[in-house]
Amino acid sequence: YSHNENEKAYHFLKEQLTEAMSQNRDDKVLFLLSELMGYYRVTSQFELGNKMAIQAIKILTHHGLEDSIAAATTYLNIATLYRVQGQYSYSLMMYKKCEQIYSEHLNPNDERYASFYNNVSLLYQETGEYEQAIDYELKALSIIEKIKNCEVEQAITYTNLSAMYNAVNNQDEAKKCLNKAIALFKIFGVNDPHYYAALSLKAESLYHDKEYSKAIDLYDEVLDGIEKNYGKSKEYYIVQENKDRVI
């Protein structure tokens, strides 16, 4: 993944899954199913991702692990997979199952809460509940800022906050967060897929500031990056639609 060789990473995961299944190593199978869920989510192969989710739940149930930290991680991944598909009620249900387990097993400042808060925030953002979304995102940021070597995670959080502040017409905070995000990505995560989300937001900001030529150039950069690394995914076509509005 770090070398953008996503097909090789995918085939490696599939090989490891086959091997783990042949050895009846359900612990490894569960981990690999979660990894594949993430891959299928990013590449918009939702039917395959959903099959991984069903299999993961079967393993948890079979071993009586429905209330374990391993289950919470699985629920978080499944919730995110369904959020991206727009199945919000089921997604929220899985997030709440994850939160219940975390509250029983983790310290409130545990870094795993940061990922949880980020994802729940995105759910509320997508359902238009922006004040709740901002609250969850600020909770995530308060944890991430205390963790060493989490600059990319900070950048992702600032990107999310920028989009949310835009939604509530707080343009000053939106631009501050976005500039912080892009600055961090350029140093620590130029190949991270979330970098394209930040650049896309910047292009939209340029469009609203009537800097149309700069906006188009930046949208083209985003489209090229997404297609090169992830193919013409759901996100690619969203960016294309945004670019077409400028033209």
Side-chain angles (χ1 to χ4, degrees):
Y1 280 135
S2 64
H3 290 87
N4 293 320
E5 297 181 46
N6 297 321
E7 280 299 312
K8 287 185 179 179
Y10 172 61
H11 289 301
F12 175 74
L13 287 171
K14 291 281 285 184
E15 289 168 4
Q16 293 300 305
L17 179 61
T18 300
E19 182 177 341
M21 291 174 70
S22 69
Q23 296 174 353
N24 294 317
R25 289 295 305 273
D26 280 352
D27 55 338
K28 290 184 178 181
V29 170
L30 189 63
F31 170 78
L32 291 161
L33 289 173
S34 286
E35 290 295 312
L36 284 165
M37 268 188 268
Y39 177 86
Y40 290 134
R41 184 187 73 243
V42 171
T43 57
S44 301
Q45 299 182 69
F46 299 129
E47 185 175 347
L48 290 172
N50 294 344
K51 288 181 179 179
M52 301 297 106
I54 291 169
Q55 189 60 34
I57 290 176
K58 285 181 178 178
I59 290 173
L60 290 171
T61 303
H62 176 72
H63 292 284
L65 296 172
E66 299 96 323
D67 298 318
S68 66
I69 288 294
T73 302
T74 303
Y75 298 149
L76 179 61
N77 290 329
I78 293 173
T80 304
L81 173 67
Y82 277 90
R83 175 180 60 76
V84 172
Q85 296 176 66
Q87 297 194 35
Y88 299 123
S89 59
Y90 186 68
S91 175
L92 183 59
M93 180 183 75
M94 299 305 286
Y95 280 133
K96 288 187 178 297
K97 286 169 71 74
C98 173
E99 185 174 26
Q100 179 61 38
I101 295 170
Y102 277 3
S103 68
E104 294 172 359
H105 296 281
L106 299 182
N107 181 290
N109 292 317
D110 190 287
E111 63 186 76
R112 283 169 284 191
Y113 265 113
S115 176
F116 170 77
Y117 289 142
N118 261 322
N119 282 290
V120 176
S121 177
L122 288 172
L123 172 64
Y124 283 124
Q125 180 185 0
E126 290 174 21
T127 56
E129 299 170 82
Y130 296 109
E131 294 300 336
Q132 285 177 284
I134 290 170
D135 286 343
Y136 270 94
E137 203 67 5
L138 290 173
K139 287 180 181 180
L141 185 62
S142 69
I143 294 173
I144 292 168
E145 288 179 329
K146 299 172 185 175
I147 304 170
K148 292 181 179 179
N149 302 317
C150 275
E151 289 83 4
V152 171
E153 287 76 9
Q154 285 185 44
I156 294 168
T157 305
Y158 279 123
T159 302
N160 295 338
L161 277 169
S162 178
M164 294 169 203
Y165 281 125
N166 266 323
V168 296
N169 296 314
N170 190 337
Q171 301 302 321
D172 288 341
E173 284 300 318
K175 287 182 178 180
K176 287 178 185 177
C177 288
L178 186 57
N179 289 335
K180 288 179 180 179
I182 292 173
L184 286 167
F185 275 128
K186 284 182 176 179
I187 298 172
F188 300 103
V190 72
N191 292 319
D192 190 280
H194 297 89
Y195 182 41
Y196 300 118
L199 292 179
S200 186
L201 280 175
K202 182 69 174 179
E204 186 175 349
S205 177
L206 289 168
Y207 165 69
H208 287 300
D209 290 341
K210 299 183 179 181
E211 297 188 53
Y212 302 122
S213 179
K214 289 182 180 179
I216 291 171
D217 288 344
L218 195 51
Y219 275 131
D220 283 335
E221 181 181 342
V222 173
L223 289 168
D224 288 343
I226 293 175
E227 184 175 9
K228 177 182 176 182
N229 293 299
Y230 305 102
K232 292 187 176 181
S233 62
K234 174 185 174 182
E235 288 73 18
Y236 178 93
Y237 290 108
I238 291 172
V239 174
Q240 182 66 60
E241 289 177 7
N242 290 336
K243 178 192 170 185
D244 291 342
R245 281 191 304 139
V246 181
I247 297 173

